[in-house]
Structures are given as structure tokens and as C-alpha cells.
Short mmCIF file of all heavy atoms in Angstrom, two decimals:
data_model
loop_
_atom_site.label_atom_id
_atom_site.label_comp_id
_atom_site.label_asym_id
_atom_site.label_seq_id
_atom_site.Cartn_x
_atom_site.Cartn_y
_atom_site.Cartn_z
N ILE U 1 -17.08 18.87 13.15
CA ILE U 1 -17.50 17.69 12.28
C ILE U 1 -19.10 17.59 12.39
O ILE U 1 -19.60 17.15 13.29
CB ILE U 1 -16.88 16.40 12.70
CG1 ILE U 1 -15.38 16.62 12.58
CG2 ILE U 1 -17.32 15.28 11.84
CD1 ILE U 1 -14.62 15.42 13.35
N GLN U 2 -19.83 18.05 11.30
CA GLN U 2 -21.30 18.14 11.43
C GLN U 2 -21.78 17.00 10.63
O GLN U 2 -21.65 16.97 9.31
CB GLN U 2 -21.75 19.38 10.71
CG GLN U 2 -21.45 20.63 11.69
CD GLN U 2 -21.94 22.02 10.96
OE1 GLN U 2 -21.29 23.01 11.03
NE2 GLN U 2 -23.17 21.97 10.29
N SER U 3 -22.45 16.14 11.13
CA SER U 3 -23.13 14.91 10.50
C SER U 3 -22.27 14.18 9.44
O SER U 3 -22.58 14.14 8.29
CB SER U 3 -24.40 15.53 9.70
OG SER U 3 -25.33 16.09 10.66
N GLY U 4 -21.10 13.85 9.92
CA GLY U 4 -20.18 13.14 8.95
C GLY U 4 -19.90 11.73 9.75
O GLY U 4 -20.47 11.41 10.72
N ASN U 5 -19.10 10.94 8.99
CA ASN U 5 -18.71 9.62 9.61
C ASN U 5 -17.13 9.44 9.39
O ASN U 5 -16.63 9.25 8.37
CB ASN U 5 -19.43 8.40 8.77
CG ASN U 5 -18.95 7.09 9.41
OD1 ASN U 5 -18.26 7.01 10.32
ND2 ASN U 5 -19.71 6.05 8.89
N PRO U 6 -16.48 9.73 10.49
CA PRO U 6 -15.04 9.64 10.45
C PRO U 6 -14.48 8.19 10.10
O PRO U 6 -13.29 8.00 9.77
CB PRO U 6 -14.57 9.90 11.90
CG PRO U 6 -15.64 10.82 12.52
CD PRO U 6 -16.88 10.28 11.88
N TYR U 7 -15.44 7.24 10.18
CA TYR U 7 -14.97 5.81 9.75
C TYR U 7 -15.60 5.58 8.46
O TYR U 7 -15.87 4.38 8.15
CB TYR U 7 -15.35 4.97 10.75
CG TYR U 7 -14.73 5.18 12.17
CD1 TYR U 7 -15.41 6.00 13.00
CD2 TYR U 7 -13.59 4.63 12.52
CE1 TYR U 7 -14.83 6.34 14.27
CE2 TYR U 7 -13.01 4.91 13.64
CZ TYR U 7 -13.58 5.75 14.67
OH TYR U 7 -12.98 5.98 15.82
N GLY U 8 -16.07 6.47 7.60
CA GLY U 8 -16.68 6.20 6.44
C GLY U 8 -15.95 6.02 5.15
O GLY U 8 -16.57 5.99 4.04
N ALA U 9 -14.69 5.68 5.29
CA ALA U 9 -13.75 5.42 4.12
C ALA U 9 -14.14 3.91 3.58
O ALA U 9 -14.36 3.04 4.26
CB ALA U 9 -12.38 5.58 4.40
N PHE U 10 -13.88 3.89 2.29
CA PHE U 10 -13.96 2.59 1.63
C PHE U 10 -12.58 1.87 1.94
O PHE U 10 -11.57 2.58 1.96
CB PHE U 10 -14.18 2.55 0.12
CG PHE U 10 -15.53 3.22 -0.26
CD1 PHE U 10 -15.63 3.71 -1.49
CD2 PHE U 10 -16.53 2.90 0.51
CE1 PHE U 10 -16.92 4.27 -1.88
CE2 PHE U 10 -17.87 3.50 0.22
CZ PHE U 10 -17.93 4.06 -1.06
N ASN U 11 -12.52 0.62 2.07
CA ASN U 11 -11.14 -0.02 1.88
C ASN U 11 -10.70 -0.22 0.54
O ASN U 11 -11.39 -0.03 -0.44
CB ASN U 11 -11.23 -1.42 2.79
CG ASN U 11 -12.06 -2.50 2.17
OD1 ASN U 11 -12.45 -2.40 0.91
ND2 ASN U 11 -12.50 -3.47 3.08
N ALA U 12 -9.56 -0.84 0.36
CA ALA U 12 -8.93 -1.05 -0.98
C ALA U 12 -9.79 -1.84 -1.84
O ALA U 12 -10.01 -1.53 -3.10
CB ALA U 12 -7.57 -1.55 -0.88
N GLU U 13 -10.40 -2.89 -1.32
CA GLU U 13 -11.17 -3.80 -2.21
C GLU U 13 -12.54 -3.17 -2.66
O GLU U 13 -12.93 -3.34 -3.85
CB GLU U 13 -11.65 -5.07 -1.22
CG GLU U 13 -12.40 -6.06 -2.05
CD GLU U 13 -12.78 -7.29 -1.21
OE1 GLU U 13 -12.29 -7.44 -0.11
OE2 GLU U 13 -13.53 -8.15 -1.76
N GLN U 14 -13.09 -2.33 -1.79
CA GLN U 14 -14.34 -1.55 -2.12
C GLN U 14 -14.05 -0.65 -3.18
O GLN U 14 -14.73 -0.43 -4.19
CB GLN U 14 -14.96 -1.09 -0.99
CG GLN U 14 -15.58 -2.06 0.07
CD GLN U 14 -15.87 -1.37 1.40
OE1 GLN U 14 -15.31 -0.69 1.94
NE2 GLN U 14 -17.04 -1.87 2.03
N ALA U 15 -12.96 0.16 -2.95
CA ALA U 15 -12.52 1.28 -3.89
C ALA U 15 -12.23 0.58 -5.28
O ALA U 15 -12.60 1.16 -6.40
CB ALA U 15 -11.32 2.00 -3.36
N ALA U 16 -11.53 -0.62 -5.29
CA ALA U 16 -11.23 -1.20 -6.61
C ALA U 16 -12.55 -1.64 -7.26
O ALA U 16 -12.59 -1.59 -8.56
CB ALA U 16 -10.23 -2.30 -6.18
N ARG U 17 -13.44 -2.03 -6.50
CA ARG U 17 -14.83 -2.41 -7.16
C ARG U 17 -15.39 -1.37 -7.89
O ARG U 17 -16.01 -1.36 -9.05
CB ARG U 17 -15.65 -3.00 -6.16
CG ARG U 17 -16.71 -3.78 -6.68
CD ARG U 17 -17.59 -4.48 -5.63
NE ARG U 17 -16.80 -5.52 -4.83
CZ ARG U 17 -17.24 -6.16 -3.72
NH1 ARG U 17 -18.39 -6.02 -3.27
NH2 ARG U 17 -16.38 -7.03 -3.15
N VAL U 18 -15.40 -0.04 -7.28
CA VAL U 18 -15.94 1.10 -7.90
C VAL U 18 -15.16 1.49 -9.17
O VAL U 18 -15.65 1.75 -10.17
CB VAL U 18 -15.96 2.31 -6.83
CG1 VAL U 18 -16.58 3.65 -7.56
CG2 VAL U 18 -16.79 1.96 -5.62
N ALA U 19 -13.80 1.43 -9.09
CA ALA U 19 -12.89 1.79 -10.09
C ALA U 19 -13.10 0.86 -11.27
O ALA U 19 -13.04 1.38 -12.58
CB ALA U 19 -11.44 1.77 -9.61
N ARG U 20 -13.22 -0.28 -10.99
CA ARG U 20 -13.40 -1.37 -12.07
C ARG U 20 -14.86 -1.09 -12.77
O ARG U 20 -14.78 -1.19 -13.98
CB ARG U 20 -13.46 -2.79 -11.47
CG ARG U 20 -13.54 -3.85 -12.55
CD ARG U 20 -12.43 -4.11 -13.40
NE ARG U 20 -12.47 -3.47 -14.62
CZ ARG U 20 -11.44 -3.24 -15.46
NH1 ARG U 20 -10.30 -3.88 -15.19
NH2 ARG U 20 -11.47 -2.60 -16.66
N ALA U 21 -15.90 -0.69 -11.93
CA ALA U 21 -17.06 -0.48 -12.59
C ALA U 21 -17.12 0.76 -13.51
O ALA U 21 -17.70 0.91 -14.56
CB ALA U 21 -18.15 -0.26 -11.54
N ALA U 22 -16.33 1.81 -12.98
CA ALA U 22 -16.33 3.08 -13.70
C ALA U 22 -15.45 2.81 -15.06
O ALA U 22 -15.86 3.36 -16.14
CB ALA U 22 -15.58 4.08 -12.92
N ALA U 23 -14.27 2.14 -14.95
CA ALA U 23 -13.57 1.86 -16.14
C ALA U 23 -14.37 1.01 -17.02
O ALA U 23 -14.19 1.17 -18.35
CB ALA U 23 -12.34 1.00 -15.78
N ASP U 24 -15.14 -0.05 -16.63
CA ASP U 24 -15.96 -0.84 -17.56
C ASP U 24 -16.97 -0.01 -18.23
O ASP U 24 -17.19 -0.07 -19.44
CB ASP U 24 -16.59 -1.95 -16.84
CG ASP U 24 -15.74 -3.00 -16.53
OD1 ASP U 24 -14.48 -3.00 -16.95
OD2 ASP U 24 -16.06 -3.96 -15.46
N ALA U 25 -17.58 1.03 -17.61
CA ALA U 25 -18.64 1.92 -18.11
C ALA U 25 -17.90 2.85 -19.30
O ALA U 25 -18.66 3.13 -20.19
CB ALA U 25 -19.24 2.73 -17.10
N LEU U 26 -16.76 3.14 -19.03
CA LEU U 26 -16.01 3.99 -19.99
C LEU U 26 -15.37 3.17 -21.11
O LEU U 26 -14.80 3.86 -21.96
CB LEU U 26 -14.98 4.89 -19.18
CG LEU U 26 -15.53 5.91 -18.24
CD1 LEU U 26 -14.42 6.39 -17.39
CD2 LEU U 26 -16.12 7.04 -19.00
N GLY U 27 -15.17 1.94 -20.84
CA GLY U 27 -14.46 1.18 -21.88
C GLY U 27 -12.90 1.29 -21.80
O GLY U 27 -12.22 1.32 -22.88
N VAL U 28 -12.38 1.68 -20.70
CA VAL U 28 -10.90 1.80 -20.45
C VAL U 28 -10.45 0.97 -19.22
O VAL U 28 -11.21 0.23 -18.60
CB VAL U 28 -10.56 3.32 -20.04
CG1 VAL U 28 -11.02 4.21 -21.24
CG2 VAL U 28 -11.36 3.80 -18.84
N ASP U 29 -8.98 0.92 -19.10
CA ASP U 29 -8.67 0.34 -17.79
C ASP U 29 -8.57 1.29 -16.75
O ASP U 29 -8.47 2.58 -16.92
CB ASP U 29 -7.17 -0.17 -18.11
CG ASP U 29 -7.18 -1.37 -19.03
OD1 ASP U 29 -8.15 -2.09 -18.98
OD2 ASP U 29 -6.13 -1.55 -19.85
N PRO U 30 -8.69 0.83 -15.40
CA PRO U 30 -8.64 1.77 -14.21
C PRO U 30 -7.32 2.24 -13.96
O PRO U 30 -6.74 2.00 -12.82
CB PRO U 30 -9.25 0.92 -13.20
CG PRO U 30 -8.83 -0.56 -13.52
CD PRO U 30 -8.90 -0.57 -15.01
N VAL U 31 -6.66 2.89 -14.88
CA VAL U 31 -5.32 3.47 -14.79
C VAL U 31 -5.35 4.95 -15.11
O VAL U 31 -6.21 5.41 -15.83
CB VAL U 31 -4.18 2.73 -15.44
CG1 VAL U 31 -4.16 1.26 -15.04
CG2 VAL U 31 -4.48 2.72 -16.90
N LEU U 32 -4.36 5.83 -14.53
CA LEU U 32 -4.36 7.08 -14.74
C LEU U 32 -4.20 7.52 -16.25
O LEU U 32 -4.98 8.25 -16.70
CB LEU U 32 -3.03 7.66 -13.97
CG LEU U 32 -2.79 9.18 -14.32
CD1 LEU U 32 -3.88 10.10 -13.94
CD2 LEU U 32 -1.52 9.62 -13.45
N ASP U 33 -3.38 6.92 -17.01
CA ASP U 33 -3.29 7.22 -18.42
C ASP U 33 -4.50 7.16 -19.16
O ASP U 33 -4.82 7.92 -20.01
CB ASP U 33 -2.17 6.46 -19.13
CG ASP U 33 -0.68 6.89 -18.55
OD1 ASP U 33 -0.58 7.99 -18.11
OD2 ASP U 33 0.28 5.99 -18.65
N ASP U 34 -5.30 6.05 -18.89
CA ASP U 34 -6.69 5.87 -19.60
C ASP U 34 -7.64 6.94 -19.24
O ASP U 34 -8.24 7.56 -20.10
CB ASP U 34 -7.13 4.56 -19.27
CG ASP U 34 -6.42 3.43 -20.21
OD1 ASP U 34 -5.25 3.82 -20.75
OD2 ASP U 34 -7.07 2.33 -20.43
#
């Protein structure tokens, strides 16, 4: 493990915030089909 962070994962709330921002930028819902 070279220069990584084993604790560097987002939690569900943080990940949902990114997904919502991406969906808004695309004009879709944050779901697989869209």
C-alpha cells in the first residue's frame, strides 16, 4: 500500500451528495436507468 488511505472511503451521506450533484448537472435522477 503506497501512499494511500485505507480509511479514505466516503460514507453513504457523502456519496449521496456527490451522486445528487452529478445527477443535477446531467438533468437526470441518480438512478441506474437514467
Side-chain angles (χ1 to χ4, degrees):
I1 301 168
Q2 293 178 218
S3 298
N5 184 356
Y7 300 90
F10 295 153
N11 65 17
E13 181 180 354
Q14 292 169 319
R17 198 173 296 179
V18 179
R20 181 74 265 172
D24 288 346
L26 292 167
V28 299
D29 287 328
V31 297
L32 171 57
D33 287 341
D34 281 17

